[in-house]
Amino acid sequence: TSKLKPAALYRQAMCARAVGDKKSELKSYQSLLKNYKYSTLATETKYQAGQLLLGENSKLAKKYFEQVLHSNIDDDYKTASEFYLAKIEAEKLSKNKKQKPIKIKEIESAFRKYLTKYPDGRLAPDVADTWIKFNPKMSSKDYTLAAKAYILAEIRDEALKAISKTDIKDSWAIQNLIYYAKADNKKVKEITEEGVSKYSANINYKDYQKAINNYIKTFQSTDSAIDELLKTAKGEGVDYIWNLKCQQTSGDSKYNCYKDLYTNYPSSRYTQTALSAMFFEKIKQKDYANARFLGKDFISRYPDSKILPEVLFWQGKIEQKYHNPESTHYFQKIINEYPDSYYAYRSFWILNGFKDATLRTNIEYKPVMYPYKQPSKNDILYVLMTVNDYEMIEKFSKDKFIQSWAEYEKGNYATSTHIAQEAMKNIKDKPAKSDLRWRLVYPQNYYIQIRNNAERYNNNPALIISIMREESHFNSEAQSGVGAIGLMQLMPETAHDIGNKNGISFYTNSLFNPELNIKIGNLYYSTIRKMLDNKDVSAIAAYNGGIGSVTRWKNTLKYSDTDEFVEQIPYEETKTYVKKVFRSYWNYLRIYQK
């Protein structure tokens, strides 16, 4: 009578799969379906069993996949089930000489749907293989889908075979991908120039973008590549190339470029980008009268824009220059409606007249907890919690915050944080700062070690944990492509240099140890902060972009306050990094301040 029985049977099946025992795996699935057909696990079990039965018992497999198709399971399972059903029908139909045209269309529609929706999906090459075998005379557009699936799976020979049966008007963007992968730059240029001049309307927009980006990479000069494209490009997609051109310009040329884009393409997906770029360019030029007009225009036109907090913030800064009390309205609107944003942090600082970027204030340690009221003892989630089966909890609950909590309990801190952050992003009206879900987005992992080391080296603990969150998302085993190691992503050479200067010797692999990584990370941050006049904004920028770069920017950029300095940081990565760290810092203060 245990509530755990369906979960136990599913676990048995997974164990059987792990050792390659398909017979036992299927037996466990079928036992679950026989005795617990209304279990939350039943639909996924049917899908797994259906896969095992392909070729062995197609009739039963078909039954299972049809039931999956008419369930409320995630769409990816449904689309895959449609493919398997089509595959079963295709094999049956191939043996029947009298093929029914309607049935053929249904089968091909399922193949087409999968490759359109999941061109890089796990099953995509199998779908392409099955489809080509079923109908070697399929259309140019369908062969293009197959070629795309192959090239994304890095099966180049099959991609080339499929693409040879297409018309260039359908496949030029995918041919671009294939020849770019082969490093045939001449072919990339020829195909792309012909495609953008004659066949832009035929191409998926994302494929068009990839093709343009690949084309540009074949040139030594980005400007030359864009100019060449603009000479030949016609129809849909020209706005994308134009937007790339505007990104390469500066000053009045940048403003005029975006103005032309805004005027000539009023319905473009880049119209919003163009208007905001014109607004920010006028701010850089200190033309506040025109910036003021453009900002108000943007706010009225795009009330749901992702960059609205940034526009509202700078509109507030402009109104301050005109001594307009309405500036307070803009800053308060950001705090109320976008409470967890970087610009909420900056707005709060301005409204309260804080001069320094950080406050010497303590935050209280609060552990990550189950994000809602505890389930009742009769609830399967409660029962699974008593046996710490967090993987199964994720299967029984579709709530992203519960899944984040389960990953946290498993020790997968980076995964947990990412899931919670995406889930919070999708909530329009943010919950109160006391809501337990915030702790999943901004957990205090390793906080005791952080606080002890931060206080010892005169750092701000809330800022150090913010650096760690953005550097590694609390994954102590993290290692970047350039060799940065551990929680605070320390470069070995830098770490050893800091260690030697402070009488600390260690092996490089020891940087994976949280205690040592946090200690050396604090020492390093303290060192660069002292070298930059104890300015935290400069030190955070240097942590990402290097102290030499920051020193150069401070000497050459023209700015009157912190906000102007941050917005003018020439390295986009460093500018974004500074905003992310201070956004985290703001949220740690909001959520955990005593």
Side-chain angles (χ1 to χ4, degrees):
T1 58
S2 169
K3 285 182 176 293
L4 289 171
K5 255 192 166 175
L9 286 166
Y10 194 92
R11 281 289 196 194
Q12 277 191 328
M14 292 297 99
C15 291
R17 174 182 289 189
V19 296
D21 184 353
K22 291 184 179 181
K23 185 177 179 181
S24 295
E25 183 184 355
L26 183 60
K27 184 179 178 182
S28 294
Y29 287 144
Q30 292 186 319
S31 179
L32 191 158
L33 293 172
K34 179 182 177 182
N35 297 293
Y36 306 97
K37 61 182 178 180
Y38 299 115
S39 166
T40 303
L41 296 171
T43 304
E44 190 174 332
T45 297
K46 289 171 185 174
Y47 176 81
Q48 304 289 7
Q51 285 185 307
L52 288 175
L53 289 164
L54 284 169
E56 300 292 326
N57 187 340
S58 295
K59 186 176 179 181
L60 184 55
K62 181 181 177 182
K63 176 185 172 183
Y64 285 151
F65 287 130
E66 284 174 342
Q67 289 174 353
V68 171
L69 209 56
H70 294 96
S71 70
N72 61 354
I73 201 169
D74 295 341
D75 280 347
D76 51 351
Y77 282 105
K78 289 184 177 182
T79 305
S81 294
E82 278 188 89
F83 158 61
Y84 284 127
L85 284 168
K87 185 174 184 177
I88 291 168
E89 287 300 313
E91 288 173 355
K92 189 164 73 173
L93 212 57
S94 295
K95 296 172 185 176
N96 183 358
K97 292 181 180 179
K98 295 181 180 179
Q99 296 185 352
K100 298 177 182 178
I102 295 176
K103 205 69 177 173
I104 292 171
K105 283 184 178 181
E106 288 176 2
I107 291 168
E108 292 201 277
S109 176
F111 296 153
R112 190 177 297 113
K113 181 177 179 180
Y114 187 96
L115 292 185
T116 301
K117 196 170 184 179
Y118 305 110
D120 57 348
R122 182 176 61 84
L123 299 174
D126 186 18
V127 177
D129 288 344
T130 305
W131 195 356
I132 292 170
K133 184 178 178 182
F134 177 67
N135 180 13
K137 295 180 180 180
M138 56 202 229
S139 72
S140 166
K141 286 186 177 181
D142 292 337
Y143 263 114
T144 300
L145 287 173
K148 183 177 179 181
Y150 287 132
I151 196 61
L152 291 178
E154 298 184 357
I155 307 173
R156 292 184 192 173
D157 289 344
E158 294 303 316
L160 283 167
K161 285 181 190 175
I163 214 72
S164 69
K165 298 182 180 180
T166 65
D167 190 313
I168 190 170
K169 67 180 172 57
D170 300 315
S171 66
W172 66 266
I174 306 307
Q175 289 191 50
N176 170 295
L177 300 184
I178 294 170
Y179 288 112
Y180 184 78
K182 290 184 68 179
D184 189 341
N185 291 347
K186 183 180 178 183
K187 203 73 173 165
V188 169
K189 289 177 181 177
E190 288 176 2
I191 289 166
T192 308
E193 286 170 6
E194 183 176 356
V196 298
S197 66
K198 298 178 182 177
Y199 311 118
S200 59
N202 295 53
I203 304 300
N204 171 284
Y205 195 75
K206 287 186 177 179
D207 292 340
Y208 184 99
Q209 288 179 309
K210 285 181 185 176
I212 298 302
N213 295 342
N214 286 346
Y215 176 90
I216 290 171
K217 289 173 190 173
T218 64
F219 282 72
Q220 290 185 336
S221 164
T222 299
D223 288 340
S224 299
I226 292 172
D227 288 342
E228 199 64 38
L229 280 171
L230 285 174
K231 286 179 189 175
T232 56
K234 295 174 184 175
E236 294 179 31
V238 178
D239 56 338
Y240 176 68
I241 304 169
W242 200 323
N243 184 56
L244 292 177
K245 180 182 179 180
C246 294
Q247 290 175 12
Q248 300 298 312
T249 58
S250 58
D252 285 337
S253 296
K254 192 180 196 77
Y255 176 83
N256 291 329
C257 182
Y258 276 116
K259 185 180 178 182
D260 289 342
L261 175 57
Y262 183 74
T263 305
N264 292 320
Y265 295 91
S267 302
S268 165
R269 65 194 73 201
Y270 298 104
T271 306
Q272 185 184 138
T273 301
L275 183 56
S276 65
M278 290 159 63
F279 170 66
F280 292 124
E281 199 56 44
K282 285 301 177 187
I283 292 173
K284 284 182 188 175
Q285 295 171 10
K286 303 192 184 304
D287 181 354
Y288 299 120
N290 279 313
R292 193 182 195 189
F293 169 77
L294 290 166
K296 287 184 176 180
D297 190 23
F298 186 96
I299 291 164
S300 65
R301 284 175 182 266
Y302 304 110
D304 298 318
S305 170
K306 290 180 180 178
I307 64 168
L308 187 61
E310 184 177 2
V311 175
L312 288 168
F313 176 76
W314 283 99
Q315 192 70 18
K317 296 266 287 188
I318 292 170
E319 296 304 336
Q320 271 190 326
K321 293 181 184 297
Y322 284 95
H323 305 290
N324 185 348
E326 193 181 1
S327 63
T328 301
H329 160 76
Y330 289 114
F331 296 137
Q332 198 60 55
K333 181 178 175 67
I334 297 168
I335 293 168
N336 293 342
E337 297 181 16
Y338 307 94
D340 58 328
S341 69
Y342 167 78
Y343 292 100
Y345 149 69
R346 292 304 305 151
S347 296
F348 186 84
W349 249 238
I350 288 171
L351 289 177
N352 286 277
F354 298 140
K355 300 300 180 186
D356 294 328
T358 58
L359 297 176
R360 283 290 170 178
T361 182
N362 291 322
I363 61 175
E364 182 181 4
Y365 175 73
K366 297 175 185 176
V368 163
M369 299 171 66
Y370 184 77
Y372 304 108
K373 181 182 176 181
Q374 286 285 326
S376 70
K377 290 186 178 181
N378 292 324
D379 194 312
I380 183 63
L381 290 182
Y382 178 87
V383 182
L384 289 167
M385 286 163 69
T386 63
V387 294
N388 301 327
D389 192 342
Y390 302 110
E391 288 183 17
M392 204 55 67
I393 284 171
E394 290 182 73
K395 290 194 176 293
F396 273 90
S397 175
K398 298 302 179 185
D399 185 285
K400 291 298 180 183
F401 289 102
I402 292 177
Q403 291 177 1
S404 168
W405 171 78
E407 288 296 328
Y408 187 90
E409 292 297 321
K410 283 156 50 178
N412 298 331
Y413 300 139
T415 302
S416 169
T417 306
H418 283 303
I419 292 172
Q421 184 167 302
E422 286 303 307
M424 189 62 78
K425 193 187 295 183
N426 292 327
I427 298 177
K428 186 174 182 181
D429 297 321
K430 305 300 184 200
K433 61 185 179 181
S434 58
D435 192 294
L436 294 175
R437 289 173 289 182
W438 284 115
R439 297 191 200 177
L440 287 163
V441 186
Y442 295 96
Q444 288 176 296
N445 303 341
Y446 307 102
Y447 184 66
I448 305 304
Q449 298 99 309
I450 290 168
R451 186 189 64 199
N452 292 342
N453 281 282
E455 290 173 352
R456 181 177 179 183
Y457 299 113
N458 200 30
N459 293 328
N460 187 317
L463 195 59
I464 297 299
I465 196 172
S466 300
I467 294 172
M468 184 185 294
R469 181 185 185 278
E470 298 310 325
E471 287 289 345
S472 66
H473 281 82
F474 307 106
N475 177 10
S476 63
E477 299 297 317
Q479 189 165 10
S480 75
V482 295
I485 291 175
L487 291 170
M488 297 193 71
Q489 287 293 277
L490 300 167
M491 292 299 291
E493 186 177 350
T494 303
H496 283 296
D497 183 50
I498 291 293
N500 291 336
K501 288 176 180 176
N502 290 275
I504 305 170
S505 59
F506 54 87
Y507 294 108
T508 297
N509 277 349
S510 298
L511 288 171
F512 289 111
N513 179 286
E515 195 77 44
L516 177 68
N517 196 284
I518 291 168
K519 184 174 185 175
I520 299 296
N522 268 278
L523 268 167
Y524 175 55
Y525 184 77
S526 178
T527 301
I528 58 177
R529 183 167 48 79
K530 287 173 185 175
M531 295 172 71
L532 291 163
D533 303 320
N534 290 313
K535 300 293 184 184
D536 281 306
V537 171
S538 301
I540 295 296
Y543 200 94
N544 177 269
I547 194 164
S549 297
V550 174
T551 302
R552 186 171 66 253
W553 299 336
K554 288 173 76 72
N555 291 332
T556 57
L557 296 177
K558 294 179 181 179
Y559 56 93
S560 58
D561 61 17
T562 296
D563 298 308
E564 288 186 5
F565 171 73
V566 171
E567 297 300 339
Q568 290 184 54
I569 291 174
Y571 296 171
E572 195 62 36
E573 179 190 325
T574 301
K575 184 199 299 187
T576 302
Y577 178 80
V578 170
K579 291 181 181 181
K580 283 182 176 180
V581 169
F582 278 102
R583 175 182 177 174
S584 285
Y585 168 72
W586 162 245
N587 280 288
Y588 277 110
L589 292 189
R590 277 195 330 123
I591 300 162
Y592 299 105
Q593 191 171 4
K594 286 184 178 179

